[in-house]
Amino acid sequence: MTTMQRDGRKARGEKRRQEIIEATLRVIERDGVAGVTHRSVAREAGIPTASITYHFATLDDLLIATLISCARDMATEVYWMIDRARSREGLRRSSGSPYSGPSAADEVSALLAEALGPRRGRTMAEYELYLLAARRPSLRPAARRWLDVLTSMVKHDDEVAFRVFLAGIDGLLIQGLIDDEPPTAEELRPVVEYLLNPTERRRRARQEA
Amino acid sequence: MTTMQRDGRKARGEKRRQEIIEATLRVIERDGVAGVTHRSVAREAGIPTASITYHFATLDDLLIATLISCARDMATEVYWMIDRARSREGLRRSSGSPYSGPSAADEVSALLAEALGPRRGRTMAEYELYLLAARRPSLRPAARRWLDVLTSMVKHDDEVAFRVFLAGIDGLLIQGLIDDEPPTAEELRPVVEYLLNPTERRRRARQEA
DNA sequence: AGAGTATCTGAACGAACGTCCAGGAAGTTC
DNA sequence: GAACTTCCTGGACGTTCGTTCAGATACTCT
């Protein structure tokens, strides 16, 4: 009984798989899907080249596994984000004191600014997935995942306004990627407010009725 | 004086350049940027491989020239589209009879449906340009071209509503690319109407005042 | 006609690629 | 510790790639 690994062989293999996927994602963030080769990923992960072909039958399998993993992570983030926002709203309702924290528009625009600033590489990776999914139907469920999470979690009394909101988010992100410098949360807020407002207005109207 | 070509050598070279660019665009539409190689383009154009390196110093030059050409074509299309719409609006105003042709929302949604249906490949090519521009600043002016044309031609009294409209178009397009089947104009119209309405409402209000 | 120049191309080169494989290392079971 | 399974990897193979280049062809000009 040493201080060494406690995992079985299978667990070690799974860990390696994850390391390879993470290294692949870093390569995609840095150089795009075009930069993904057995050798570049192996260099990034600090492992031998043949180790990749052992864990992934083909390079395409690796790419697909990576993009699906990336999409799953993002969907999970969206899930928790909404969850946090919801519990906060619950607090706001139960307490009688006036709420003065960040508004929904504040939070969404901050999130977009983050996606276009520090997490730019990750955002680009997401849209590489979009484009790959456009050509390969098998990838589409993964690409739509964060949209599905939003759709199923947020109550949308106005179907059309909600679709506009989703499209607006994607449009702001992809247009932000080709700006010379990433837009700040302050610059984005008016647009986000505009995207959210109609929904909010109707919801408030419904609650007052 | 035969019935042969009348163009000088220079003109012939320029024509070849164009043919190569068009073949490259077809390859991108079919297989994406990843499918562009000297040999695949040469096969598509029906010319020898070395002919490409003669007209384009590097494969990257060819790719950039093709995507810029594609962006220029699209900007030109947007230009004429707005021009036609404007002259039609002029007619509508001058004639006293009630106008019953297609509304702006009708036309925009028909255009989007076309971009996601028959012209799907071209639309994908456009977003490949977007993604490439995200990584290469020198490509960004080309990628923004159609946005600039719209911005400079359409009078936008409400800056925010206009930015929402532009983002919405991009979002609808890129989300339409990952739908299992392309959305129809009828499905898109309510969303487009919603994107256009606020602007229209304010414009009408201004005209009535 | 002949010099000059732009256009064109078959063939080849070196580099990078995806993938394979024989064999070694590590862990598990008896 | 022996048998067995899984994990791992250095090295090699055949392919495709971007690019080069010497020489051929087509056109212009004087």
Side-chain angles (χ1 to χ4, degrees):
Chain A
M1 197 207 292
T2 70
T3 60
M4 293 292 285
Q5 78 294 331
R6 181 142 315 275
D7 339 325
R9 277 174 298 182
K10 217 135 189 188
R12 271 230 339 273
E14 199 52 40
K15 193 179 169 190
R16 253 280 164 92
R17 259 184 80 94
Q18 273 309 314
E19 288 174 1
I20 293 174
I21 286 182
E22 286 163 18
T24 306
L25 184 53
R26 286 198 298 275
V27 172
I28 296 179
E29 290 177 6
R30 194 196 327 120
D31 303 323
V33 169
V36 174
T37 71
H38 281 129
R39 289 163 176 88
S40 68
V41 171
R43 208 178 311 128
E44 174 69 33
I47 60 173
T49 303
S51 179
I52 294 176
T53 54
Y54 175 76
H55 290 283
F56 297 89
T58 193
L59 190 66
D60 209 64
D61 288 347
L62 172 57
L63 210 77
I64 290 179
T66 302
L67 291 175
I68 286 181
S69 160
C70 177
R72 182 160 37 84
D73 289 352
M74 188 185 193
T76 307
E77 272 182 51
V78 169
Y79 178 89
W80 286 115
M81 190 186 66
I82 297 180
D83 194 70
R84 279 199 307 272
R86 191 165 284 174
S87 68
R88 210 162 25 216
E89 190 182 355
L91 271 181
R92 191 188 327 182
R93 263 190 208 148
S94 65
S95 83
S97 61
Y99 179 79
S100 63
S103 71
D106 283 331
E107 299 210 51
V108 172
S109 37
L111 217 73
L112 291 182
E114 194 187 340
L116 293 170
R119 298 165 51 92
R120 217 184 110 90
R122 185 65 161 256
T123 305
M124 286 193 285
E126 272 288 331
Y127 284 105
E128 302 239 20
L129 167 61
Y130 261 59
L131 228 43
L132 226 61
R135 295 186 195 277
R136 304 200 204 180
S138 66
L139 279 174
R140 290 177 191 167
R144 278 194 294 260
R145 196 146 174 165
W146 76 275
L147 292 170
D148 292 338
V149 168
L150 259 178
T151 306
S152 66
M153 287 189 78
V154 174
K155 62 166 172 245
H156 38 292
D157 20 281
D158 187 337
E159 173 76 22
V160 173
F162 187 69
R163 281 169 67 192
V164 167
F165 172 73
L166 293 181
I169 295 297
D170 255 334
L172 286 178
L173 281 176
I174 206 165
Q175 285 175 9
L177 284 178
I178 59 172
D179 277 347
D180 282 326
E181 47 194 58
T184 66
E186 287 75 31
E187 290 165 351
L188 291 167
R189 194 174 41 229
V191 183
V192 173
E193 247 164 11
Y194 191 103
L195 278 171
L196 284 171
N197 254 346
T199 308
E200 289 248 320
R201 201 185 309 143
R202 298 199 188 193
R203 188 186 307 166
R204 247 180 265 141
R206 247 177 31 119
Q207 283 175 4
E208 285 166 2
Chain B
M1 197 207 291
T2 71
T3 60
M4 294 292 285
Q5 76 295 329
R6 179 143 316 276
D7 341 325
R9 278 174 298 183
K10 219 133 188 189
R12 268 225 349 269
E14 198 54 38
K15 193 180 171 190
R16 252 278 164 93
R17 259 184 79 97
Q18 272 309 311
E19 287 173 1
I20 293 173
I21 286 182
E22 285 163 17
T24 306
L25 185 54
R26 286 197 300 274
V27 172
I28 296 179
E29 290 177 5
R30 193 195 329 119
D31 305 321
V33 169
V36 173
T37 71
H38 281 128
R39 288 163 177 88
S40 67
V41 171
R43 207 178 312 128
E44 174 70 33
I47 60 173
T49 304
S51 179
I52 295 175
T53 52
Y54 175 75
H55 290 283
F56 297 90
T58 194
L59 190 67
D60 210 63
D61 288 348
L62 171 58
L63 211 78
I64 291 178
T66 302
L67 291 174
I68 287 181
S69 161
C70 176
R72 182 159 37 85
D73 288 353
M74 187 185 196
T76 306
E77 272 183 51
V78 169
Y79 178 90
W80 286 113
M81 190 186 67
I82 298 181
D83 193 69
R84 278 198 307 272
R86 190 165 286 174
S87 67
R88 210 159 27 213
E89 191 181 354
L91 272 181
R92 189 187 330 181
R93 264 192 208 146
S94 64
S95 83
S97 62
Y99 178 78
S100 63
S103 71
D106 282 330
E107 300 211 51
V108 172
S109 36
L111 218 73
L112 292 181
E114 193 187 342
L116 292 170
R119 298 165 51 92
R120 216 183 110 90
R122 184 63 161 256
T123 305
M124 286 193 285
E126 272 288 331
Y127 283 106
E128 301 240 20
L129 167 61
Y130 260 59
L131 228 43
L132 225 61
R135 295 186 196 279
R136 305 199 204 179
S138 66
L139 278 174
R140 289 177 191 167
R144 278 195 294 259
R145 196 146 174 167
W146 75 276
L147 292 169
D148 292 339
V149 168
L150 259 178
T151 306
S152 65
M153 287 189 78
V154 174
K155 62 168 174 243
H156 38 292
D157 21 281
D158 187 338
E159 174 75 25
V160 174
F162 187 68
R163 280 169 66 191
V164 166
F165 172 73
L166 293 182
I169 295 296
D170 255 334
L172 287 179
L173 281 176
I174 205 165
Q175 286 175 8
L177 284 179
I178 60 173
D179 277 346
D180 282 326
E181 48 196 56
T184 66
E186 287 74 33
E187 290 166 352
L188 290 168
R189 193 173 44 229
V191 183
V192 172
E193 247 164 11
Y194 191 102
L195 278 172
L196 284 171
N197 254 344
T199 308
E200 289 248 321
R201 202 185 309 145
R202 298 200 189 193
R203 189 186 305 167
R204 248 180 265 141
R206 247 176 29 121
Q207 283 175 3
E208 285 166 2

